[in-house]
Amino acid sequence: MTKIGLEIHCQLTKLESKLFCPCKADYREFEPNTNICPICMGIPGSLPLLNKSAVEKATLIAMALDCSTPSKIAFFRKNYFYPDLPKNFQITQLNVYGNTSIGWEGKILVGNSKIRIRRIQLEEDPGRLIYEGVTEKTKLTLVDYNRAGTPLVEIVTEPDFETPHQVREFLNILSDLLENLNVSDPGLEGAMRADANVSIEGGSKVEIKNIGSFHDLEKAVHFEITRQQSLAERKIEIIQETRQWDDGRKITISARTKEEEAEYRYHLEADIPWVRIDDNTKKQLQVHMPESISSKKERYVSKYGITSQVADILSSDRYFSELFEKANNETNAKDIANMITTDIMGLLDTREKREMSKLEGDHISDLVGYIKSNKITRASAKLALDEVIKNGKQLSEIIEDLDLGHVSDESTLSDIITEVIDEEVKAVENAKENPEIVNFLVGKVMQKTHGKADPELTLALLKKNLGL
Ligand SMILES: [Zn+2]
């Protein structure tokens, strides 16, 4: 049996400052090594000051993942030397004096399978190493400490996954959840990273590190299962080790044999006192916990009569569900939801596009209203959407500017229909035996009117002309 476990690192990107100092948590906008201070650089004599909001946001994640949460938390030093770690130790958490990490024993449902969460801990991110240079001789390693000390939540699962596909599903659910809790923006580069451990048939556990995207993680796990199966078939021993994902060659390669935990010389971080999280604080957090994705979905189905499938897509995306909530959805809620999930999601499929978009909720309700009252065709509505996204103008203005109004004037339409009938002699002949072909002729009229012809009127006039 295949067993896969994950360790996911999520940055709390919605925080103002780093975990133990006032430097910005959002390090991405800075020139290298300018978002630093004596605390995150580990200058002797500096003392860490715990960011209260980070504890609260991490606790929110633990609660949302159904974890038990502690009455007090403790921090530990994990000692190791690496150039991206200026202090030579990382401040993290460890459950050695009872459960003192942010959360433990939670669960998340992926389809019908329960994935157990072993532990959640709050820790600091190290800096970043950047490799430059072209040849072996001119190779340079640069270090940027801007990221050092950024708040990170590590989520460790039990080895409950059986397929790479399940891993991918889980990560999608988790990133939706983090976005919905407003604690992290998983779309930001490096905001969500994962390591996986894989074993087959009760054999040794192999850890895969250095995986940059969910897509690659799925592929890396798949590769590792195949590699281990092939070794097992040839009766070659699978050794416990850490392997790196080589993105270029799409394979895992041996990196080092796995360290034992004791080698990190964990010990209690004496510069940060144990922090109490009382029941009152937890209750307060619970009150402010945003509606869960599943209850939002239920509400969409029961209140607005949206299909379960559409509600599923809409509720799991924070941006689009907010757009839906902001649209005037007292009437036409179902059509608004459909327009968001079919047309708008396609037009705004990247973070950059969403940030640039001028589309507001009211635009969508207006547009659906225009379609329903036959003032505009669906094809024209798409053009109008494109335009609103670009300039945010009122719909009435756009329809006038682009001349998108319906062609529902009978004499104009009749002229165009006569033209089509003259041009499509063969189709006209066949249409008498095969009524399906009439739709083809409607399509031709649509082409000539750039999608603006009233479809019902066109069909009626065509049938009349053809004597059907
Ligand atoms: Zn700092």
Side-chain angles (χ1 to χ4, degrees):
M1 189 173 139
T2 304
K3 282 187 167 185
I4 308 157
L6 296 180
E7 277 178 27
I8 307 118
H9 287 99
C10 318
Q11 288 179 339
L12 300 176
T13 62
K14 300 282 178 168
L15 286 172
E16 278 298 307
S17 55
K18 289 185 180 178
L19 191 50
F20 302 114
C21 67
C23 296
K24 291 268 182 226
D26 182 8
Y27 57 88
R28 291 171 178 82
E29 59 189 273
F30 290 89
E31 288 287 307
N33 297 308
T34 56
N35 182 40
I36 52 174
C37 74
I39 298 173
C40 54
M41 291 304 289
I43 306 289
S46 65
L47 287 171
L49 190 68
L50 181 62
N51 180 340
K52 190 180 165 202
S53 306
V55 176
E56 289 172 353
K57 294 224 185 251
T59 304
L60 214 53
I61 298 175
M63 286 174 163
L65 291 176
D66 238 350
C67 287
S68 301
T69 51
S71 53
K72 50 187 178 180
I73 57 170
F75 286 91
F76 287 78
R77 285 188 185 185
K78 180 183 183 180
N79 296 282
Y80 65 99
F81 172 81
Y82 207 65
D84 63 7
L85 196 72
K87 292 192 292 228
N88 290 344
F89 61 84
Q90 180 194 28
I91 303 179
T92 179
Q93 296 193 293
L94 193 70
N95 291 334
V96 287
Y97 302 126
N99 286 313
T100 57
S101 75
I102 283 292
W104 64 92
E105 287 177 6
K107 63 172 187 304
I108 193 167
L109 282 174
V110 178
N112 293 323
S113 328
K114 185 173 88 178
I115 305 296
R116 291 167 299 158
I117 309 289
R118 182 183 297 168
R119 183 180 73 242
I120 300 184
Q121 62 198 47
L122 184 58
E123 61 188 31
E124 53 181 345
D125 213 354
R128 283 169 68 230
L129 295 180
I130 299 147
Y131 302 97
E132 296 247 328
V134 210
T135 69
E136 204 55 43
K137 276 190 175 168
T138 59
K139 219 177 226 175
L140 278 174
T141 304
L142 303 172
V143 62
D144 176 8
Y145 290 119
N146 284 349
R147 194 178 74 180
T150 299
L152 205 61
V153 165
E154 181 177 313
I155 300 170
V156 184
T157 77
E158 297 291 345
D160 287 346
F161 301 93
E162 288 170 16
T163 64
H165 180 72
Q166 250 184 346
V167 168
R168 176 77 178 266
E169 291 268 284
F170 169 86
L171 290 169
N172 285 339
I173 294 172
L174 182 64
S175 71
D176 285 343
L177 186 128
L178 295 174
E179 215 176 341
N180 193 47
L181 289 175
N182 203 22
V183 295
S184 182
D185 185 347
L188 287 175
E189 185 270 323
M192 220 173 152
R193 287 132 33 206
D195 301 339
N197 53 69
V198 179
S199 67
I200 59 162
E201 314 302 338
S204 298
K205 205 167 74 175
V206 174
E207 194 172 11
I208 325 167
K209 284 195 174 281
N210 198 25
I211 315 169
S213 75
F214 296 172
H215 184 61
D216 278 355
L217 182 68
E218 190 183 5
K219 274 193 290 190
V221 169
H222 182 76
F223 176 86
E224 189 50 33
I225 293 170
T226 315
R227 188 188 70 89
Q228 291 186 21
Q229 279 168 346
S230 144
L231 288 175
E233 271 164 25
R234 288 177 287 151
K235 307 251 181 292
I236 302 172
E237 191 198 352
I238 299 161
I239 46 168
Q240 180 173 334
E241 62 176 344
T242 298
R243 297 177 72 87
Q244 299 272 354
W245 173 243
D246 182 332
D247 188 34
R249 290 186 287 166
K250 308 286 176 211
I251 56 170
T252 63
I253 44 175
S254 184
R256 59 185 147 97
T257 49
K258 187 154 171 51
E259 296 103 339
E260 294 301 317
E261 287 221 321
E263 286 171 17
Y264 288 123
R265 304 288 189 274
Y266 279 104
H267 61 87
L268 204 59
E269 169 55 270
D271 286 342
I272 303 170
W274 291 52
V275 179
R276 198 170 283 282
I277 307 179
D278 57 24
D279 288 345
N280 211 13
T281 311
K282 287 183 199 171
K283 261 187 214 143
Q284 287 283 325
L285 284 173
Q286 201 84 49
V287 171
H288 292 112
M289 180 100 89
E291 187 182 18
S292 76
I293 292 171
S294 55
S295 69
K296 192 186 279 183
K297 180 189 162 184
E298 268 170 40
R299 182 164 62 86
Y300 285 177
V301 172
S302 61
K303 185 173 172 191
Y304 302 113
I306 296 170
T307 64
S308 167
Q309 202 188 2
V310 172
D312 207 15
I313 303 171
L314 197 57
S315 57
S316 62
D317 188 293
R318 190 181 161 85
Y319 174 83
F320 292 111
S321 63
E322 270 178 10
L323 204 55
F324 174 72
E325 306 270 351
K326 280 184 197 154
N328 178 7
N329 53 27
E330 300 277 299
T331 49
N332 301 333
K334 233 169 136 174
D335 298 280
I336 292 170
N338 284 339
M339 178 171 281
I340 294 176
T341 51
T342 50
D343 303 322
I344 299 173
M345 281 189 175
L347 291 169
L348 301 177
D349 58 351
T350 64
R351 179 192 158 77
E352 287 75 25
K353 286 184 196 167
R354 290 196 279 273
E355 270 171 11
M356 299 286 287
S357 169
K358 301 269 199 316
L359 179 72
E360 299 288 342
D362 283 347
H363 286 124
I364 308 168
S365 21
D366 285 354
L367 194 55
V368 166
Y370 276 51
I371 297 173
K372 289 219 128 179
S373 59
N374 263 330
K375 285 187 187 146
I376 185 171
T377 62
R378 278 202 60 86
S380 301
K382 279 198 174 174
L383 294 176
L385 262 180
D386 251 344
E387 206 56 25
V388 177
I389 287 171
K390 271 186 243 157
N391 59 29
K393 280 189 193 167
Q394 288 293 319
L395 266 174
S396 51
E397 216 178 317
I398 289 172
I399 289 171
E400 205 179 307
D401 284 356
L402 298 183
D403 188 23
L404 293 176
H406 241 170
V407 178
S408 53
D409 167 51
E410 212 172 308
S411 72
T412 318
L413 266 184
S414 291
D415 290 347
I416 299 168
I417 287 170
T418 315
E419 254 178 65
V420 169
I421 289 176
D422 287 346
E423 285 166 19
E424 303 291 338
V425 185
K426 224 175 176 172
V428 170
E429 257 175 47
N430 293 338
K432 298 195 173 153
E433 276 149 38
N434 182 1
E436 294 265 311
I437 291 175
V438 180
N439 289 332
F440 165 79
L441 295 170
V442 172
K444 286 282 158 191
V445 176
M446 283 294 173
Q447 260 178 17
K448 281 188 185 282
T449 57
H450 305 286
K452 291 191 296 177
D454 181 325
E456 278 173 33
L457 186 60
T458 308
L459 185 66
L461 288 174
L462 257 170
K463 281 188 173 171
K464 198 171 138 198
N465 263 288
L466 298 173
L468 291 170

